[in-house]
């Protein structure tokens, strides 16, 4: 099984209960259910965590790195503010994929900047809860390819198996 830690940042515990106009009606439990079904098909072992605290999120990233897991992260507001989180991802050695429910680039200018994007393998945003599923599939593929690269990938350094 491929280990992946799904990390949700601040206020995402309110998902589905407030601001449905922006973030939809799905709750974190709904997202977890969908991810667990997908994970089974992908051969992924999931650990899922949410916190409202920056330091705790940094700790979750460190734990994922130390355990050799990949990271699927919606850092919420810390995406745009946290150098500590960026340093944690960079230092963890983990392959990370950034996800967002909303299309952050279609929103306020301060959401256009992600401090963690440069240390993530890729970003999925704008597809609501489906962003997580897409991110999980992409991350699982990257990690599987890392564990057993196709011969054609050996010299190219490419991530894709397509
Ligand atoms: O679109 C996303 O997934 C965001 O990461 C959500 C963050 C926001 O700061 C990012 O710019 C984009 C906000 C999460 C707050 O979630 C709430 C859910 C329901 C009610 C209130 C907040």
């Amino acid at each position: 099984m491929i280990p992946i830690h799904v990390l949700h940042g601040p206020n995402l515990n309110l998902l589905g209960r407030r601001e449905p106009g922006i973030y939809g009606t799905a709750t974190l439990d709904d997202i977890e259910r969908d991810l667990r079904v997908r994970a089974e098909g992908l051969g992924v072992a999931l650990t899922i965590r949410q916190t409202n605290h920056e330091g705790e999120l940094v700790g979750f990233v460190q734990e994922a790195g130390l355990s050799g897991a990949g990271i699927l992260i919606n850092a919420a507001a810390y995406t745009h503010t946290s150098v500590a989180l960026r340093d944690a991802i960079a230092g963890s050695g983990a392959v990370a994929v950034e996800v967002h429910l909303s299309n952050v680039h279609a929103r306020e200018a301060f959401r256009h900047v992600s401090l963690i994007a440069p240390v993530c393998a890729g970003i999925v945003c704008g597809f609501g809860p489906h962003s997580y599923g897409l991110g999980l599939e992409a991350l699982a593929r990257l990690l599987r390819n890392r564990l057993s690269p196709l011969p054609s990938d050996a010299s190219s350094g490419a991530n894709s198996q397509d």
Side-chain angles (χ1 to χ4, degrees), residues 3 5 7 49 58-71 88-95:
H5 289 202
L7 306 181
R49 293 163 133 183
V58 165
F60 289 169
V61 166
Q62 291 179 359
E63 281 180 43
L66 286 171
S67 73
I71 299 173
I89 294 170
S92 71
V95 179

Side-chain angles (χ1 to χ4, degrees), residues 3-161:
I4 290 179
H5 289 202
V6 179
L7 306 181
H8 304 285
N11 295 307
L12 286 165
N13 54 311
L14 299 176
L15 210 59
R17 296 186 201 124
R18 308 261 171 84
E19 304 204 62
I22 303 176
Y23 298 115
T25 54
T27 64
L28 273 198
D29 285 347
D30 295 330
I31 291 173
E32 173 166 351
R33 256 191 302 279
D34 177 64
L35 287 178
R36 292 210 178 277
V37 170
R38 288 173 188 266
E40 213 173 299
L42 292 165
V44 165
L46 285 183
T47 298
I48 302 180
R49 293 163 133 183
Q50 189 273 331
T51 179
N52 291 326
H53 304 281
E54 184 176 11
E56 194 168 32
L57 194 55
V58 165
F60 289 169
V61 166
Q62 291 179 359
E63 281 180 43
L66 286 171
S67 73
I71 299 173
L72 184 70
I73 184 166
N74 184 349
Y78 293 139
T79 305
H80 318 297
T81 64
S82 180
V83 175
L85 184 60
R86 177 200 175 114
D87 288 349
I89 294 170
S92 71
V95 179
V97 168
E98 175 183 348
V99 298
H100 298 284
L101 297 152
S102 62
N103 178 354
V104 285
H105 298 288
R107 300 183 64 193
E108 303 96 322
F110 68 85
R111 295 187 206 275
H112 301 178
V113 175
S114 167
L115 297 191
I116 67 171
V119 294
C120 288
I123 306 164
V124 182
C125 74
F127 299 100
H130 194 44
S131 293
Y132 284 89
L134 293 169
L136 183 71
E137 284 177 22
L139 180 55
R141 177 179 289 226
L142 276 182
L143 295 173
R144 203 178 299 119
N145 196 21
R146 272 199 159 191
L147 290 173
S148 53
L150 293 176
S152 58
D153 289 336
S155 60
S156 69
N159 287 324
S160 172
Q161 290 194 9

